[in-house]
Amino acid sequence: MSPAGVGGARVRIEGVHKAFALDGRSTPALVDINLEVQAGELLCLLGPSGCGKSTLLNIVAGFLPPTRGRVLVDATPITGPGPERGVVFQEYVLFPWLTVAQNVEFGPRLAGVEAARCREIAARYLDMVGLREHATKFPVQLSGGMKQRVAIARALANNPSIVLMDEPFGALDAQTREVMQEELSRIQRVEHKTIVFVTHSIREAVYLADRLVVLTSAPGRIKEMFTIKLGEARDRFAPEFTRYESEITRVVKEEVAKVRE
Amino acid sequence: MIRAAALAGALLAWALVAYGNLALEVMNPVLLPTPGEVGALAAVQIRDGSLAHHLTVSALRIVEGFGLAAAAALALGLLVAVSTPARLALEPVIEFVRPIPPLAFLPMFLVWFGLGETSKVAFIAYTTFFPMFVGTGASLLRVDVMLLRAAASLGASRRDLLRRVVLPAALPGIVVALRLGFGLAIFVIVGAEFMGADAGLGNLIMEGRVFFNPAQIVMGALLLGALGSLVNALLLMTERRVLRGRALP
Ligand SMILES: Nc1ncnc2c1ncn2[C@@H]1O[C@H](COP(=O)(O)OP(=O)(O)OP(=O)(O)O)[C@@H](O)[C@H]1O
Ligand SMILES: [Mg+2]
């Protein structure tokens, strides 16, 4: 396990194939994915629904073994999940028997961090996602967007060097979503984590990404890769921003159209 | 409030039917005891202490039998949840024995464990074990894999997963299984005490039958109902405390 903390680790996806058994037949979901995410890089994954984005994230997280190929964190092949790879799930997956604060403290508690320090950590990350007043509530008492923010706080509070985020802002309203995007890019400027970020929003991807990968419709292959050279503190209305947006939209649309055919 | 009113209503209905029958003699009034008769009998038995004796004897048997079965169900449920070989070995045996109506075994319990307390306790334990084992085992095994993934990616070891995810996630199901088991214990105590018991609510009812005293039968049944609903209310209360955050607020 690489040391957690400031600074990410490099993720190498080498020749990954994934097939699922469907009605007794093996159906490919991912084909020949080769990808290297640099330490401290934020990589966005885009592609039509069902193209295998969550599957790829699950493989990197260590939840699913690839049918072929392997994933390395720095130089070490992964064999299962680990705390250096934090995950924000598309469906939140909070622990329903724990309060919001206890959910956020879950990782540090496991790591043996003392209780007082755990509370500090929880408070800090709950502040960050704007949920401090909700610390003692249970997940059932939260809206979808609030749950999603708890899930983000929980993953970050464990201080992973790699964060795998599956449509983490999908359930948020447009305003909160932009606030969270700004917050994430601010954290990123300070902590330089390695982030793989799945989204359907091209605007969001252009705002956040250092590099951006578009997958083909199922089975997912790498269709095209973009390096977003917009620097820090991006302006969503700048002409270069819009240029990226429209070009990537064109590429994604080609694939979405294939799904509908 | 509604509950109290409903109970009062049921009592009133019984009184109407019983006293109506007394007046009209639709059937022999001896066969349909009135609330007054049952109350008078209860008063007598409360005063001479026999009612309290029957109640404590039955309650003790229920608690012991249920306690043994619950402990065994939890232990084996856990074993089955953490060890696939244990599950594969235990399942067929339990699935074979489980559908046999426990009453079929009741005579054997008397033969094996004698006429004393042991046979009653063992019979209750035996009967309540199966539903509790199946319930706990299933809830422990059916924990959402996503919760396990979430915990594992936060650094949980196998032990942590069991203690901090599997057990709390399965708790609602386990509590329901225990509640079912307890209900069943009250259900079967009567059967256990029908045969060769010298005290207990089942014995009270049996005595009512043997000496042809319908009021005593009704009193015994009512006591069982009261005991059952009291215990159920207690269990529901603990359930609500244990499962705080799980149900909608
Ligand atoms: N456990 C599984 N068993 C069988 N098939 C699966 C499984 N998980 C995913 N698939 C299939 O793999 C393909 C990719 O699914 P995946 O969830 O990765 O898509 P996605 O790109 O994340 O889609 P979305 O944008 O809608 O979240 C789909 O065709 C899906 O049906
Ligand atoms: Mg997905």
Side-chain angles (χ1 to χ4, degrees):
Chain A
M1 194 182 95
S2 60
V6 172
R10 190 185 49 173
V11 177
R12 270 178 76 143
I13 302 167
E14 290 185 352
V16 162
H17 287 249
K18 182 68 189 179
F20 289 108
L22 199 75
D23 302 328
R25 280 185 317 148
S26 159
T27 315
L30 288 171
V31 176
D32 197 30
I33 306 290
N34 287 285
L35 197 57
E36 189 165 318
V37 193
Q38 299 306 325
E41 183 179 34
L42 196 156
L43 182 112
C44 278
L45 276 180
L46 282 168
S49 180
C51 76
K53 302 179 296 294
S54 297
T55 304
L56 184 58
L57 230 52
N58 279 332
I59 291 171
V60 176
F63 302 142
L64 289 178
T67 311
R68 262 190 289 155
R70 59 178 188 166
V71 176
L72 299 118
V73 168
D74 288 331
T76 320
I78 63 153
T79 54
E84 79 288 356
R85 277 161 289 140
V87 180
V88 179
F89 295 88
Q90 196 170 354
E91 318 79 356
Y92 333 131
V93 201
L94 301 177
F95 304 117
W97 58 90
L98 297 179
T99 63
V100 165
Q102 288 167 335
N103 264 280
V104 177
E105 284 175 22
F106 194 87
R109 274 279 155 97
L110 289 179
V113 176
E114 60 173 281
R117 177 88 189 97
C118 282
R119 274 195 296 280
E120 274 172 38
I121 294 175
R124 187 171 131 224
Y125 284 93
L126 284 176
D127 256 348
M128 191 194 87
V129 295
L131 288 177
R132 186 167 212 164
E133 322 79 273
H134 303 281
T136 56
K137 287 191 178 159
F138 285 93
V140 279
Q141 297 168 298
L142 305 180
S143 72
M146 289 157 89
K147 284 184 206 162
Q148 200 154 47
R149 283 181 282 156
V150 177
I152 294 164
R154 181 178 67 178
L156 294 179
N158 201 32
N159 205 7
S161 50
I162 298 161
V163 194
L164 309 169
M165 307 177 97
D166 200 348
E167 301 185 33
F169 304 152
L172 305 181
D173 63 87
Q175 280 72 40
T176 314
R177 191 168 181 150
E178 289 198 354
V179 170
M180 291 300 297
Q181 289 166 3
E182 281 147 26
E183 195 58 39
L184 181 65
S185 76
R186 191 189 59 74
I187 295 170
Q188 192 52 3
R189 280 200 294 277
V190 180
E191 302 198 359
H192 299 291
K193 294 189 184 297
T194 305
I195 300 180
V196 182
F197 190 105
V198 172
T199 177
H200 281 291
S201 160
I202 292 161
R203 256 174 98 71
E204 178 166 273
V206 174
Y207 184 78
L208 292 171
D210 296 311
R211 265 188 316 150
L212 190 158
V213 170
V214 180
L215 295 179
T216 64
S217 54
R221 303 164 195 266
I222 293 180
K223 178 181 171 76
E224 212 163 322
M225 178 119 72
F226 297 88
T227 304
I228 312 292
K229 299 196 193 83
L230 288 175
E232 292 176 352
R234 295 177 184 179
D235 173 6
R236 295 186 181 84
F237 299 99
E240 316 86 83
F241 191 100
T242 327
R243 207 157 33 238
Y244 275 117
E245 217 183 321
S246 52
E247 184 179 356
I248 294 162
T249 304
R250 185 183 55 76
V251 174
V252 172
K253 266 200 179 148
E254 285 172 13
E255 289 309 313
V256 175
K258 278 186 203 162
V259 178
R260 294 175 164 270
E261 268 163 24
Chain B
M1 218 39 225
I2 294 178
R3 289 154 194 263
L7 279 176
L11 187 67
L12 192 71
W14 171 30
L16 270 175
V17 172
Y19 288 115
N21 184 49
L22 200 59
L24 302 171
E25 297 239 14
V26 178
M27 64 162 111
N28 186 345
V30 178
L31 296 177
L32 189 59
T34 61
E37 284 165 9
V38 173
L41 182 67
V44 171
Q45 298 209 353
I46 287 171
R47 230 169 299 130
D48 71 10
S50 61
L51 201 64
H53 177 60
H54 286 301
L55 254 174
T56 29
V57 166
S58 283
L60 205 64
R61 287 171 182 158
I62 290 175
V63 167
E64 284 177 7
F66 167 81
L68 278 173
L74 282 175
L76 287 179
L78 261 177
L79 179 69
V80 160
V82 297
S83 149
T84 312
R87 179 165 62 86
L88 294 179
L90 269 172
E91 252 176 13
V93 181
I94 284 182
E95 285 311 313
F96 183 80
V97 181
R98 192 167 69 95
I100 304 174
L103 274 173
F105 277 137
L106 183 51
M108 292 316 293
F109 275 84
L110 293 176
V111 174
W112 290 333
F113 298 105
L115 291 176
E117 288 309 295
T118 323
S119 61
K120 279 95 194 161
V121 172
F123 181 67
I124 292 169
Y126 171 80
T127 312
T128 54
F129 168 77
F130 293 102
M132 290 200 282
F133 168 75
V134 172
T136 41
S139 11
L140 287 165
L141 279 167
R142 284 199 203 124
V143 170
D144 183 2
V145 66
M146 294 303 283
L147 290 170
L148 297 171
R149 287 179 174 184
S153 73
L154 289 165
S157 63
R158 255 184 82 87
R159 240 188 85 126
D160 293 328
L161 286 180
L162 185 65
R163 208 163 70 86
R164 293 174 191 261
V165 183
V166 173
L167 282 178
L171 200 58
I174 294 176
V175 172
V176 169
L178 294 183
R179 207 145 59 84
L180 281 175
F182 210 101
L184 193 61
I186 290 176
F187 200 77
V188 297
I189 181 77
V190 177
E193 289 173 346
F194 269 11
M195 286 204 191
D198 49 9
L201 294 175
N203 174 256
L204 191 75
I205 291 171
M206 202 54 178
E207 220 181 71
R209 196 177 84 96
V210 172
F211 297 106
F212 195 66
N213 186 353
Q216 182 159 328
I217 298 178
V218 171
M219 182 181 74
L222 288 179
L223 278 172
L224 281 166
L227 188 65
S229 32
L230 179 77
V231 169
N232 198 48
L234 282 175
L235 285 172
L236 272 175
M237 225 164 71
T238 18
E239 187 176 331
R240 242 173 257 136
R241 290 191 54 164
V242 172
L243 304 185
R244 162 185 66 105
R246 239 52 96 72
L248 284 166

